[in-house]
Amino acid sequence: VRVLMRNGEWPDARQWFNQLLVRDPVSPTTRACEGLLHLQEGAPGLAVEAFERLVEQTPNDASAWTNLAVAYLRLARTDRAQKALAHAQALQPESAVWHNTRGLLAAQTQQWEEAHAEWQRSLELEPNFEAAMINLDRLKQRQPPFHDAQ
């Protein structure tokens, strides 16, 4: 399912996910895929529910906390996104995805210099990180929407 999502094959990913859901509905993998599919399908409220269940189940998974932050950002809940990002940072402070998401939070609150610094740091950690490259380019042009790593 994750490979299909990474390749942008969302309808196929949804089909495989539905089969996974029947076989193993409460596994961390199932919950992570569920949240990512909800984000892709434009249902951030459902993504929050999936990622909240996931962080309860796997509280030491930095990516789960970061994805929860992304879902909150899509709901414009910057306060909750900040809390989720704090958990992710404590678990994995030097993550390109974390810095990209922190840049999204800064951009959503119109802290442009901070957003720029976060996306720049993301690229220092992972030079070919597409979401951060897109975000920096759009920031220069002041053309949101900015991109998360999902």
Side-chain angles (χ1 to χ4, degrees):
V1 175
R2 286 180 186 241
V3 171
L4 292 169
M5 289 189 292
R6 264 185 243 126
N7 292 334
E9 299 175 36
W10 296 101
D12 290 339
R14 172 50 84 180
Q15 283 183 328
W16 281 99
F17 170 74
N18 290 339
Q19 293 175 22
L20 178 64
L21 190 59
V22 170
R23 284 182 284 155
D24 197 2
V26 297
S27 79
T29 299
T30 302
R31 289 190 170 149
C33 291
E34 177 184 16
L36 292 171
L37 283 167
H38 286 314
L39 283 176
Q40 177 61 27
E41 294 167 348
L46 294 174
V48 163
E49 291 174 15
F51 290 129
E52 283 181 341
R53 288 190 305 269
L54 181 59
V55 298
E56 285 175 12
Q57 188 175 7
T58 59
N60 294 323
D61 181 351
S63 66
W65 287 102
T66 302
N67 286 329
L68 178 59
V70 168
Y72 278 132
L73 284 172
R74 293 209 188 158
L75 292 171
R77 295 297 311 266
T78 55
D79 56 331
R80 294 200 178 210
Q82 177 62 47
K83 289 177 184 175
L85 280 174
H87 284 284
Q89 182 185 27
L91 295 166
Q92 189 177 14
E94 287 301 306
S95 159
V97 174
W98 181 88
H99 283 284
N100 185 67
T101 307
R102 182 70 184 99
L104 295 173
L105 175 62
Q108 195 160 353
T109 57
Q110 298 185 351
Q111 297 173 5
W112 306 118
E113 288 180 25
E114 184 177 342
H116 182 272
E118 293 293 352
W119 291 327
Q120 199 65 47
R121 180 65 182 140
S122 182
L123 287 174
E124 289 169 10
L125 294 169
E126 195 174 314
N128 295 317
F129 190 41
E130 185 177 12
M133 288 189 281
I134 290 169
N135 290 334
L136 278 172
D137 186 54
R138 289 197 173 171
L139 179 63
K140 289 174 189 169
Q141 299 174 30
R142 294 276 200 250
Q143 292 183 348
F146 299 105
H147 287 267
D148 51 53
Q150 297 358 298

